[in-house]
Amino acid sequence: MQALILAGGKGTRLRPLTVYTPKPIVPICNRPFLLYQIDTLRRAGITDITLSLSYQPNKIEHLLGDGSDHGVKLKYTVEPQPMGTAGAYKFAEDAIRETTVVFNGDILTDLDLKAVIREHNGRKAAATVVLQPVENPRAYGLVETETDGRIHRFLEKPKEDEITCNNINAGTYILEPGVLDFIPPGENYSFEYGLFPDLLKRKESFYAHVPPRTYWIDIGTPERYLQAHQDLLANRVGRIHIKERRGSFDSATVAEIDELSIIGDDCQIKPGAQIINSVLGQGCFVEERAHVANSVIWPHTRIGTAAQVSNAIVGRGCHVGRSAVIGPGSVLGDKTSVTDYTITGGAKL
Ligand code: GDD
Ligand code: MG
């Protein structure tokens, strides 16, 4: 078995966070996101992993190298321009010889991957798609199934009146190399609009795997990125437990840091500051009486005296001025400087 992680999208819906950091390596609780997917693969015994890149590939390669620090062997393919999801799999054809696990590179889940592989093999399927129930399938790929688990219909980004069930494509596939022959070479081609509907037309053995209660989130928007943090901090994600919530940092004894929060190395937290249910990246500086709640702060950011940050995401190397109020829903890109007393996002005027 081997794996391919689709990590070439531009991450437009996660802007401004993805202006300098490609989505696959945005920090989630101070770890590059892809490491969670690599953990899932390694737990299932899969160590031969190809990362399919296109947007800012060097940053990802530089960070993860050959994978030896993480107990896996990483290879990279870099498309000159994005080839689409199935086009990216076809582009990696030379690296693919066996049954392959394909991940969308933005899904945080506690899926039991071994169970998916067992079911795929037991059914001798050409392709298996993992499903997830969601409240509103509009933003995803809707998947209708037969009672025996065969896929009946695949409808990407359905319109309101096309929604017939709440099961969606969870962005995890098991593919036999034979399906590569159905993907046109050298073209932009998608699993969702191209290969999957085509497999149905060809009457290939194309199955859904419905896992029992599984945590699942696509981290690709700021709301869901923040939600993923809240879920991890509250230990709502099985199989992923935050081991170390406290790096080595300086904190005044009169500062309040709750048990849920994660504080990166080399932070400084001054007297009277409060950090509640939040994540601080490495080297952050929180001044006196500043208040940070339900927020994610990327490394090397300074939160000024008596500033308030709540339900917000603050990028790397930012400066939030004295008494500023960064309110719910605010997302500050890297190196933003917010003047003293500024008010952003959701604050009551
Ligand atoms: N290499 C490469 N090349 N990767 C790509 C390309 C490309 O041209 N286009 C997208 N990707 C990667 C993205 O980086 C992302 O990890 C993954 O493919 C899926 O792309 P998204 O842009 O995040 O798609 P989506 O979230 O709108 O929809 C997809 O995911 C849903 C689950 O979250 C679809 O697969 C839906 O059917 C699915 O329900
Ligand atoms: Mg996505």
Side-chain angles (χ1 to χ4, degrees):
M1 288 286 290
Q2 51 187 130
L4 179 79
I5 303 183
L6 297 171
K10 283 198 178 140
T12 50
R13 286 163 291 180
L14 205 48
R15 285 176 184 153
L17 300 173
T18 45
V19 171
Y20 298 105
T21 308
K23 179 167 70 168
I25 54 168
V26 293
I28 299 278
C29 294
N30 289 345
R31 278 181 96 206
F33 173 70
L34 276 180
L35 292 183
Y36 295 90
Q37 294 202 319
I38 289 173
D39 287 347
T40 302
L41 291 168
R42 206 190 38 236
R43 270 198 305 268
I46 299 168
T47 53
D48 173 356
I49 304 170
T50 302
L51 299 185
S52 166
L53 311 181
S54 174
Y55 177 66
Q56 300 189 349
N58 299 343
K59 290 189 182 163
I60 300 178
E61 255 190 272
H62 182 252
L63 186 76
L64 299 177
D66 64 2
S68 50
D69 287 354
H70 310 291
V72 294
K73 286 194 202 87
L74 292 180
K75 282 180 280 191
Y76 298 88
T77 57
V78 181
E79 299 144 44
Q81 67 277 327
M83 300 292 288
T85 46
Y89 171 59
K90 182 77 176 173
F91 188 79
E93 189 165 21
D94 289 346
I96 295 168
R97 299 164 308 278
E98 305 162 12
T99 309
T100 300
V101 177
V102 177
F103 279 165
N104 280 353
D106 58 357
I107 306 299
L108 182 71
T109 179
D110 56 8
L111 177 70
D112 179 354
L113 186 57
K114 277 189 182 162
V116 187
I117 296 166
R118 257 198 316 273
E119 194 175 55
H120 172 89
N121 290 339
R123 288 163 159 171
K124 298 197 172 19
T128 296
V129 171
V130 177
L131 303 193
Q132 178 71 23
V134 294
E135 245 166 55
N136 183 0
R138 279 283 287 117
Y140 304 102
L142 181 93
V143 185
E144 288 176 16
T145 49
E146 312 281 1
T147 43
D148 65 354
R150 280 184 183 264
I151 293 183
H152 172 67
R153 187 163 175 238
F154 192 105
L155 189 60
E156 184 65 16
K157 311 281 180 317
K159 300 196 183 75
E160 208 66 67
D161 60 353
E162 292 174 319
I163 295 174
T164 50
C165 63
N166 65 352
N167 276 336
I168 60 140
N169 163 23
T172 296
Y173 320 126
I174 315 280
L175 303 177
E176 292 303 316
V179 305
L180 281 164
D181 296 341
F182 305 141
I183 303 173
E187 288 184 19
N188 189 298
Y189 197 68
S190 126
F191 284 125
E192 296 84 349
Y193 294 100
L195 181 75
F196 293 158
D198 189 43
L199 290 177
L200 292 172
K201 260 191 238 137
R202 291 174 186 269
K203 303 207 178 334
E204 288 290 325
S205 62
F206 184 23
Y207 280 94
H209 173 89
V210 184
R213 267 183 304 122
T214 298
Y215 178 86
W216 183 92
I217 197 165
D218 173 330
I219 60 145
T221 66
E223 298 72 33
R224 295 197 299 252
Y225 175 80
L226 198 53
Q227 185 62 49
H229 279 85
Q230 305 294 309
D231 293 338
L232 282 165
L233 291 182
N235 276 333
R236 280 194 285 265
V237 189
R239 290 169 222 265
I240 305 177
H241 296 288
I242 313 286
K243 286 181 214 100
E244 191 52 83
R245 290 189 191 233
R246 299 285 183 270
S248 50
F249 66 100
D250 282 346
S251 167
T253 43
V254 280
E256 182 194 332
I257 304 169
D258 77 342
E259 279 179 10
L260 298 177
S261 294
I262 296 179
I263 313 293
D265 286 337
D266 309 322
C267 287
Q268 286 193 47
I269 300 172
K270 293 290 176 191
Q274 274 186 318
I275 315 285
I276 311 293
N277 195 33
S278 293
V279 178
L280 261 54
Q282 185 185 359
C284 286
F285 198 103
V286 181
E287 305 260 22
E288 289 174 20
R289 289 174 286 110
H291 177 90
V292 177
N294 312 317
S295 294
V296 177
I297 316 290
W298 285 16
H300 304 294
T301 278
R302 177 181 290 254
I303 310 291
T305 305
Q308 293 177 42
V309 180
S310 60
N311 298 80
I313 307 166
V314 181
R316 194 183 167 89
C318 291
H319 181 261
V320 173
R322 155 190 283 270
S323 297
V325 178
I326 307 297
S330 299
V331 185
L332 306 188
D334 292 358
K335 302 179 207 166
T336 301
S337 179
V338 175
T339 307
D340 294 355
Y341 302 101
T342 295
I343 300 174
T344 72
K348 287 196 193 85
L349 293 178

